[in-house]
Amino acid sequence: MNSLEQAEDLKAFERRLTEYIQCLQPATGRWRMLLIVVSVCTATGAWNWLIDPETQKVSFFTSLWNHPFFTISCITLIGLFFAGIHKRVVAPSIIAARCRTVLAEYNMSCDDTGKLILKPRPHVQ
């Protein structure tokens, strides 16, 4: 394989990698927004739950029953984590990190957008 074919292969790989990471970005943004909204709702509900003077006087489950906003948002947040939202919000970073691991063997790397970084060859003396 000559150097021209290798260069074309590298360009094709870089094009595909950047395309794949760009394809993940809109979905990642939506998952991040959902996580932020549910986290803020849970924090707000927790604050209201904690400052309620009745919380100390009643049982734990009665307290949760008296604060349905907190209970529902907390259950939703736990459900999102069980569904893997923590992986979905960082999916492009995971792909780039895995590619960096493989590319390191070929004296290359890539940035978070998928652009290839060619490292200088080590000189063997």
Side-chain angles (χ1 to χ4, degrees):
M1 188 179 243
N2 64 27
S3 62
L4 184 60
E5 290 173 338
Q6 290 174 345
E8 290 300 316
D9 286 345
L10 284 176
K11 287 179 187 178
F13 176 76
E14 180 182 56
R15 215 174 15 253
R16 183 67 182 121
L17 183 59
T18 55
E19 177 184 306
Y20 186 72
I21 289 175
Q22 286 298 321
C23 180
L24 289 174
Q25 291 298 340
T28 300
R30 288 190 294 271
W31 284 113
R32 285 179 183 160
M33 287 305 298
L34 179 64
L35 182 61
I36 289 169
V37 168
V38 173
S39 296
V40 167
C41 289
T42 303
T44 304
W47 176 256
N48 290 332
W49 181 58
L50 290 173
I51 63 170
D52 184 12
E54 289 295 314
T55 300
Q56 298 174 6
K57 298 174 186 171
V58 296
S59 71
F60 177 71
F61 291 110
T62 305
S63 176
L64 289 177
W65 184 259
N66 291 339
H67 295 85
F69 181 73
F70 170 68
T71 306
I72 292 169
S73 60
C74 191
I75 290 170
T76 303
L77 185 63
I78 292 169
L80 286 173
F81 275 98
F82 277 126
I85 195 169
H86 57 290
K87 292 178 185 174
R88 291 184 175 134
V89 297
V90 293
S93 301
I94 292 171
I95 299 297
R98 288 180 182 170
C99 284
R100 280 188 204 101
T101 303
V102 172
L103 290 170
E105 293 184 24
Y106 299 100
N107 214 27
M108 292 185 275
S109 186
C110 67
D111 61 8
D112 288 335
T113 63
K115 298 285 183 190
L116 288 179
I117 300 167
L118 302 175
K119 296 180 181 178
R121 291 185 182 183
H123 296 323
V124 179
Q125 296 181 5

